[in-house]
Amino acid sequence: MTQKDITFVADFLTEHFNEAPELYNRKGKYFNVERVGQYLKDEDDDLVSPPNTEGNQWFNFLKDSTHLKESPLLFPYYPEKSLHFVKRQMEGVIDQCLQKPADVIGKSVHQAVCMSLYKISQSEDSTPQLFKLPFLWNDRTSNLHYVLFTMLENSISKIHILRRHTDTSRSVSNGILAVEFGNFLNNSINESSDSRCYSCLDAHFYDDETVTVVLKESVQQEGKERVLAQLPLS
């Protein structure tokens, strides 16, 4: 260690660990704790060395503002408490704000329909992910909900579209269907069905009537072709 290091440590001990007779009647050590660490203690006790807020621009601004001084929008400041205490206070306020909406929303949600998409083996550890790219769209004009998704493994060239009416008591025709891309982009009828097979990389609704998809060639080779296609729902 250099002399500078030793001086630094000595100054630190002198400043933060002097005996404090005024603290003798308090539970715990009779020394001032390090001023940063005291904020991180998960205790409800007051800080041993609270900060000096004199000259703080924010406090002076609040003190001089008649409108903000008692504003319920400002979270109260606890200069004598640690960050853990303030965190618990804030969590309590947030939980209280969210409780009523959670109760109302929770009671209004119910299952409208159940569809079996695939079956998995008994050993879930060996089951691959089969459900991919879920994208939601709400057609406000027709009051319809759409979900776009793909199923891996045997149907990588298909994109599935689930359609439900926003009024759960009503049904729509073709509630779920699959669109298969396959080799529809072949330039010639002479091309083999395996030469230009496409699978879906991503899919989103462009608007209420159009779906945008990103396709790639399924052939295992360098420079796979990528295609950006827009498909009308009709």
Side-chain angles (χ1 to χ4, degrees), residues 114-134:
C114 180
M115 294 183 179
S116 177
L117 297 178
Y118 58 85
K119 294 182 179 180
I120 62 175
S121 61
Q122 294 295 327
S123 176
E124 295 186 3
D125 295 337
S126 60
T127 302
Q129 177 189 3
L130 298 179
F131 190 72
K132 189 182 177 186
L133 298 179

Side-chain angles (χ1 to χ4, degrees), residues 47-61:
L47 298 177
V48 177
S49 300
N52 181 13
T53 59
E54 185 178 351
N56 186 292
Q57 294 180 351
W58 173 248
F59 294 129
N60 292 340
F61 171 71

Side-chain angles (χ1 to χ4, degrees), residues 97-111:
C97 292
L98 297 180
Q99 188 58 48
K100 188 63 179 289
D103 292 341
V104 174
I105 295 173
K107 293 176 181 177
S108 66
V109 173
H110 63 276
Q111 178 178 303

Side-chain angles (χ1 to χ4, degrees), residues 43-223:
E43 299 174 352
D44 290 338
D45 294 338
D46 293 347
L47 298 177
V48 177
S49 300
N52 181 13
T53 59
E54 185 178 351
N56 186 292
Q57 294 180 351
W58 173 248
F59 294 129
N60 292 340
F61 171 71
L62 292 183
K63 189 185 302 181
D64 298 336
S65 173
T66 55
H67 298 290
L68 290 178
K69 189 182 302 182
E70 304 297 334
S71 173
L73 300 178
L74 292 178
F75 196 79
Y77 177 59
Y78 303 94
E80 305 288 334
K81 299 296 184 180
S82 70
L83 293 178
H84 279 282
F85 176 86
V86 176
K87 175 176 175 286
R88 283 196 300 272
Q89 294 290 110
M90 182 175 289
E91 286 175 342
V93 173
I94 294 175
D95 289 342
Q96 186 178 3
C97 292
L98 297 180
Q99 188 58 48
K100 188 63 179 289
D103 292 341
V104 174
I105 295 173
K107 293 176 181 177
S108 66
V109 173
H110 63 276
Q111 178 178 303
V113 65
C114 180
M115 294 183 179
S116 177
L117 297 178
Y118 58 85
K119 294 182 179 180
I120 62 175
S121 61
Q122 294 295 327
S123 176
E124 295 186 3
D125 295 337
S126 60
T127 302
Q129 177 189 3
L130 298 179
F131 190 72
K132 189 182 177 186
L133 298 179
F135 178 77
L136 308 180
W137 180 264
N138 184 18
D139 183 351
R140 298 180 183 275
T141 304
S142 304
N143 295 325
L144 294 173
H145 280 312
Y146 288 92
V147 183
L148 293 179
F149 61 93
T150 57
M151 304 284 288
L152 303 182
E153 292 203 330
N154 295 329
S155 56
I156 58 174
S157 62
K158 296 179 183 178
I159 180 173
H160 296 74
I161 304 177
L162 172 65
R163 180 173 62 177
R164 295 288 301 174
H165 203 283
T166 54
D167 182 355
T168 56
S169 64
R170 300 177 58 183
S171 61
V172 293
S173 59
N174 296 329
I176 184 170
L177 55 83
V179 179
E180 184 167 10
F181 302 105
N183 58 349
F184 78 109
L185 289 175
N186 286 357
N187 296 325
S188 169
I189 195 172
N190 297 324
E191 291 189 45
S192 65
S193 59
D194 296 332
S195 61
R196 299 289 294 277
C197 186
Y198 288 85
S199 60
C200 182
L201 278 178
D202 200 359
H204 281 202
F205 267 81
Y206 181 76
D207 55 28
D208 289 342
E209 301 174 352
T210 311
V211 176
T212 301
V213 294
V214 179
L215 306 173
K216 74 168 182 176
E217 278 189 286
S218 301
V219 181
Q220 297 294 330
Q221 63 183 21
E222 290 293 330

